[in-house]
Amino acid sequence: MSDVDLTTALAGLTLASPVMTAAGCGGTGRELEPFLDLTALGGFTTRTITLDPRPGAPAPRVIDTPGSVLANTGLQNPGLQGFLATELPWLAQRRVVTVVSISAGTLGEYGELARRVGSSPGVAAVEVNLGGPSHDGAATAFGADPYQAGKVVHVVRRDVPRGVPVLAKPAPGAPAVDMARALAGNGADAVVLGAGCPGLAFDPDTLRPALGGGTGVTSGPAVLGQALRTVWEVHAALPEIPLVGAGGVRSGFDVVQMLLAGATAVQVGTALLGDPSAVRRITAELCAELECRDLASPADLIGLGHLPPATERDPA
Amino acid sequence: MTTGATALTGPVQTTGELLGVKRVGAHHHVTLVAPGVAERFRPGTFVALRVGGPLSERVTRASYPIHRVRATGAYGGTVEVVLTVTEADAAARWLAAAPAGSALDVVGPLGRPYALPKEPVTCVLVGEGAASAPLFSLAERLRERGCPVHMLLGGRTEAHLFGALEARRATRGVTVATEDGSVGIAGSVADLLPDLLARTGADVVYAGGSTATLHAVAAAAEQHGAWSQAMLCGGDVAMPCGTGLCHGCAVPVVGEDGVTRMVRACTEGPVFRGDRVRWGDLGRVPEDAR
């Protein structure tokens, strides 16, 4: 692609493109490999890792809802030790830009996860998932309250080596502006916004919640508007904070919209469930979107949507 | 557009085309043009289809075990699947009604196939309804290896049987059962299996069906000292993505080390050793699961 350079600077990282995968939607990385070049990703975000292994939520865990899925996997993961032994080395060997998502129930656990993940070779960044580890992804005491969430990020930032950026991802439904201010104020290098809304669906036979875990998170194209609005509001209030926009991104123009709203990079999640090569397609579409607007870099679009409309032509 | 390694292993993603849908009793037999899938196929693998057309609001895929493939022919490589339309299954409804020529994205073949015996041992293949579909390609491979093959096919009624005629042409012994007794022996395949195992002295049982049937098959096989291989795709285990990304299809399975883990039916399966699956705990997360 001619003059477009997708290289993206995010919180001290240099990414091949602004299009990353989102936590919990890319498997261990191995599952995506048949469909795309993992090193071409802006970054690969792991599923959320907890200190101890978690077997996850009962079935069903993921159900179809209009333009979206409703999911509660219960953060199934092999635990820190299992992850470091079997999943991270595979990614590191292939030089994939790996963002490790972590979640814990106490500040002490967050500290231990931060120390051990942050000092492992092959970790490009740490993402603090403030939506876990309660079963339904709903806000725990940490995730709901900007003050508590800030304390978590403070601990993680303190225990992760300086050169490794810390991304913070508020719980779905948390007050975004207050949260972003607290997270950045406590050392988050970027804030991940918009990834899904708290959700619920009922089973027509049992007349009880359809998910095995009860409540869940709605994600997919249906939440794009909500995600854009969240990024927009946080960027308007706190333009200096680097943002990663997530939630419903499935096309090159969706990426453009996230950038216009104020994001520096995006995460693609649910789109992968229907199309495992989606990131490759989206990245190519983004190139075309930039090219047809004579833009050389995605950075040219960041926050542009907040400016007054461009005039059609110069008044002669 | 076809992606994937040059070696003929692992799945490919390709834009397929619906070649035709044939009504077979209570089921629909769907043929897709899907270049690249046929060459990589092994019995027991499955395809994950993007259904609903370009305007669909559906986000996930629908997964079906592969009935049969043809690597070459007038249309290029084709893949056949068999499905049963139910009110709750919007994906099957769409596939059954879609006009020939409809484009749809196909990913496959996915998952671990049926394990084939090294020795020419006697095999019993047990299928219930449309879930019998993957057993026919398997029977071919087993016969190539010199394994005597017996098939036990069941369904609610005659219309719910799949492939009974083809089975009669292809294998040494075919037993047919319907729950209403409309054809064959009245009863379920689970009722008839113990006797068939005793009669044939089978060493391996391969099965496709509802989880209740698979549970019964695994128990019967174990009682007779036979290995069992159970297919969890196409039955009642939902596979939202089919590719291992979403962790939506986790089932409790006991490992070599005796530890129960929640494993993805799409990547660790869809075929499991019957004695490894904790059938009574399907849909739950056992207390001791990791």
Side-chain angles (χ1 to χ4, degrees), chain A residues 46-291:
Chain A
T46 68
R47 56 177 155 170
T48 296
I49 304 300
T50 52
L51 205 49
D52 295 319
R54 288 173 62 91
R61 292 174 167 187
V62 180
I63 59 173
D64 272 294
T65 42
S68 57
V69 292
L70 177 66
N72 176 352
T73 64
L75 297 186
Q76 180 173 358
N77 80 94
L80 178 62
Q81 224 159 347
F83 170 73
L84 294 179
T86 62
E87 296 183 13
L88 182 59
W90 188 91
L91 293 162
Q93 217 170 37
R94 281 158 186 75
R95 302 187 178 281
V96 177
V97 175
T98 304
V99 179
V100 181
S101 171
I102 60 169
S103 176
T106 67
L107 287 176
E109 279 178 24
Y110 266 116
E112 185 173 354
L113 277 163
R115 268 190 302 282
R116 294 178 58 193
V117 169
S119 58
S120 295
V123 175
V126 172
E127 179 177 291
V128 185
N129 175 2
L130 291 157
S134 77
H135 251 342
D136 53 4
T140 56
F142 286 136
D145 174 8
Y147 174 71
Q148 298 291 340
K151 282 208 302 196
V152 170
V153 169
H154 180 77
V155 165
V156 173
R157 182 60 279 177
R158 187 191 67 201
D159 289 337
V160 168
R162 262 289 134 214
V164 179
V166 171
L167 316 184
K169 184 177 177 179
V177 174
D178 289 349
M179 196 56 97
R181 187 182 288 117
L183 300 175
N186 281 282
D189 299 287
V191 178
V192 184
L193 289 174
C197 322
L200 180 63
F202 288 94
D203 183 291
D205 296 324
T206 66
L207 306 183
R208 295 295 179 277
L211 288 177
T215 56
V217 172
T218 297
S219 65
V223 308
L224 175 66
Q226 169 273 149
L228 287 169
R229 172 86 183 257
T230 304
V231 171
W232 169 270
E233 284 178 0
V234 173
H235 184 75
L238 306 160
E240 68 287 356
I241 301 178
L243 303 178
V244 178
V249 174
R250 60 168 168 173
S251 74
F253 187 67
D254 293 346
V255 180
V256 168
Q257 294 196 79
M258 280 289 189
L259 299 173
L260 290 171
T264 299
V266 305
Q267 291 183 347
V268 175
T270 307
L272 298 171
L273 309 189
D275 181 5
S277 63
V279 175
R280 198 188 42 188
R281 173 182 54 76
I282 291 168
T283 305
E285 287 173 2
L286 173 63
C287 258
E289 295 283 357
L290 293 171
E291 205 162 293

Side-chain angles (χ1 to χ4, degrees), chain B residues 29 41 65-69 80-82 132-134 136-137 162 166:
Chain B
H29 183 150
F41 165 75
I66 298 172
H67 169 48
R68 193 162 57 187
V69 299
E80 298 166 41
V81 299
V82 179
S132 312
F136 294 87
S137 303
F162 178 79
E166 185 183 340

Side-chain angles (χ1 to χ4, degrees), chain B residues 20-34:
Chain B
V21 181
K22 217 169 51 195
R23 184 101 201 215
V24 185
H27 313 296
H28 289 81
H29 183 150
V30 178
T31 304
L32 306 162
V33 181

